[in-house]
Amino acid sequence: MEELTNQKLFLHMDQTIAGALFEKTTYPWEILPLIKDFILEIGPNLPKEEYDQIGEDVWIAKTAAIAKTATICGPAIIGHDTEVRPGAFIRGNALIGEGCVVGNSTEIKNDILFNGVQVPHYNYVGDSILGYKSHMGAGSITSNVKSDKTNVVIKNGDNVLETGMKKIGAILGDYVEVGCGTILNPGSVVGHHTNIYPLSMVRGYIRPESIYKKAGEIAEKY
């Protein structure tokens, strides 16, 4: 399913320090188990004039703004000009790009956030990849484990792609806007330039340049 590949979902793979991971894999969820080792590999080699190492396996750009009450566990890299607000909880295996916002009471775990991503209010983002300048509205979350604890599958209409993985949250392409209070079910894949209505429940693949109103009601954006 070509529409689910890295090349189709992300228009700006130069807007993440993890570009090499996207080049060596076909589908974005294949990157999730690689995040930890990648951070541990590149972290010690980041320019010391640009990044401070804070604690064990945590590298933060000197231009980032980190609230005193934020909790950051390694391995993690936080890029230039990113803001981590009070009460944020970064649980590790987090690769957060430049110019991002991680907001109050937002939890980040095993994620890649491209440059310019905003998760500014009460968001849970687990085992997910958020593309360039994507935005999650207040209270929107990624659900990363199925209730029956079976492996996550990616659904595109009648086609089903087995992942062999128990934890996959959401994959958001570039410029995706997620409305407030939305639930992104395990294995949700949202194409670039798509808008999702508030209070939605999303499952499976949503094509690029869409307006998602509810299941079965998806309009073309342009």
Side-chain angles (χ1 to χ4, degrees):
M1 292 191 277
E2 185 180 1
E3 59 270 29
L4 299 176
T5 62
N6 297 332
Q7 294 291 336
K8 291 294 184 180
L9 287 167
F10 303 107
L11 305 176
H12 298 286
M13 282 190 283
D14 59 333
Q15 293 294 323
T16 174
I17 199 172
L21 293 181
F22 290 85
E23 292 176 2
K24 68 188 291 187
T25 56
T26 301
Y27 297 110
W29 51 89
E30 296 172 335
I31 295 171
L32 298 176
L34 308 178
I35 295 173
K36 178 180 179 179
D37 287 345
F38 184 77
I39 294 172
L40 294 175
E41 176 187 350
I42 70 170
N45 300 313
L46 291 170
K48 290 182 172 53
E49 65 273 17
E50 297 181 23
Y51 288 83
D52 292 322
Q53 183 172 357
I54 307 296
E56 185 175 2
D57 302 327
V58 176
W59 293 270
I60 300 176
K62 294 179 185 293
T63 57
I66 311 297
K68 292 181 179 179
T69 55
T71 299
I72 303 174
C73 303
I77 295 174
I78 299 175
H80 297 286
D81 302 314
T82 283
E83 180 184 3
V84 179
R85 292 175 176 169
F89 181 24
I90 298 173
R91 284 174 53 191
N93 300 345
L95 193 51
I96 300 171
E98 301 177 3
C100 295
V101 176
V102 179
N104 57 307
S105 304
T106 291
E107 183 176 348
I108 301 289
K109 172 254 181 186
N110 199 51
D111 297 319
I112 294 177
L113 275 56
F114 277 58
N115 298 342
V117 167
Q118 294 191 13
V119 283
H121 309 286
Y122 319 113
N123 305 110
Y124 172 67
V125 187
D127 300 284
S128 298
I129 298 176
L130 278 53
Y132 179 58
K133 288 194 174 181
S134 58
H135 169 258
M136 293 181 63
S140 59
I141 67 169
T142 66
S143 175
N144 58 340
V145 180
K146 294 173 64 175
S147 60
D148 61 6
K149 305 302 187 290
T150 58
N151 288 342
V152 176
V153 298
I154 311 297
K155 295 182 179 180
N156 181 9
D158 294 331
N159 297 314
V160 175
L161 191 59
E162 300 284 347
T163 68
M165 299 170 61
K166 286 192 175 181
K167 289 188 177 182
I168 302 176
I171 310 295
L172 304 185
D174 300 341
Y175 306 105
V176 168
E177 291 283 341
V178 178
C180 296
T182 289
I183 306 297
L184 299 163
N185 282 284
S188 295
V189 180
V190 183
H192 59 81
H193 290 94
T194 288
N195 287 58
I196 297 173
Y197 271 23
L199 301 177
S200 295
M201 186 179 71
V202 178
R203 188 183 306 275
Y205 171 68
I206 310 301
R207 64 182 181 267
E209 301 178 351
S210 296
I211 299 174
Y212 182 96
K213 301 178 180 181
K214 60 182 178 179
E217 190 174 346
I218 303 173
E220 293 184 5
K221 192 171 181 181
Y222 303 112

